[in-house]
Amino acid sequence: MAVRDPGGCRRQSGPQKSNAVPELPAAPAVQPVMRRWPHPVAVHPAPEGLAAELHYISCALSQQTRQLDEIRCLLKRLANSAGSE
């Protein structure tokens, strides 16, 4: 049996039946209440003036010291693994 070509993408004229379900009105979105918790680190008040600058310098130096300790430990591991090979 031959296939009938209706002529490409042309729409067929005449009444069309729609099987689509009618859309319901959208319900308003209810968002939960936002709770704000206090920051756990902000327990001590920040010092002011020269004391604040010294505190900042002290924190930066202690962080650098920790990083240097980590680098030293990694270099020791590399030296030990290179020496054992």
Side-chain angles (χ1 to χ4, degrees):
M1 184 179 260
V3 177
R4 181 177 173 190
D5 185 12
C9 295
R10 292 185 295 186
R11 293 184 180 173
Q12 295 178 356
S13 60
Q16 296 179 352
K17 293 183 180 179
S18 175
N19 293 336
V21 177
E23 293 185 25
L24 297 175
V30 179
Q31 295 183 357
V33 176
M34 181 183 290
R35 296 185 180 131
R36 298 190 183 272
W37 303 102
H39 197 278
V41 178
V43 175
H44 304 289
E48 297 178 8
L50 180 62
E53 293 176 10
L54 291 175
H55 177 73
Y56 174 78
I57 292 171
S58 173
C59 290
L61 288 174
S62 66
Q63 180 181 3
Q64 288 179 356
T65 303
R66 279 180 288 192
Q67 289 176 343
L68 288 172
D69 284 339
E70 290 176 8
I71 292 170
R72 182 177 49 88
C73 290
L74 290 172
L75 288 174
K76 281 184 180 181
R77 286 186 200 165
L78 286 174
N80 289 339
S81 66
S84 64
E85 290 178 5

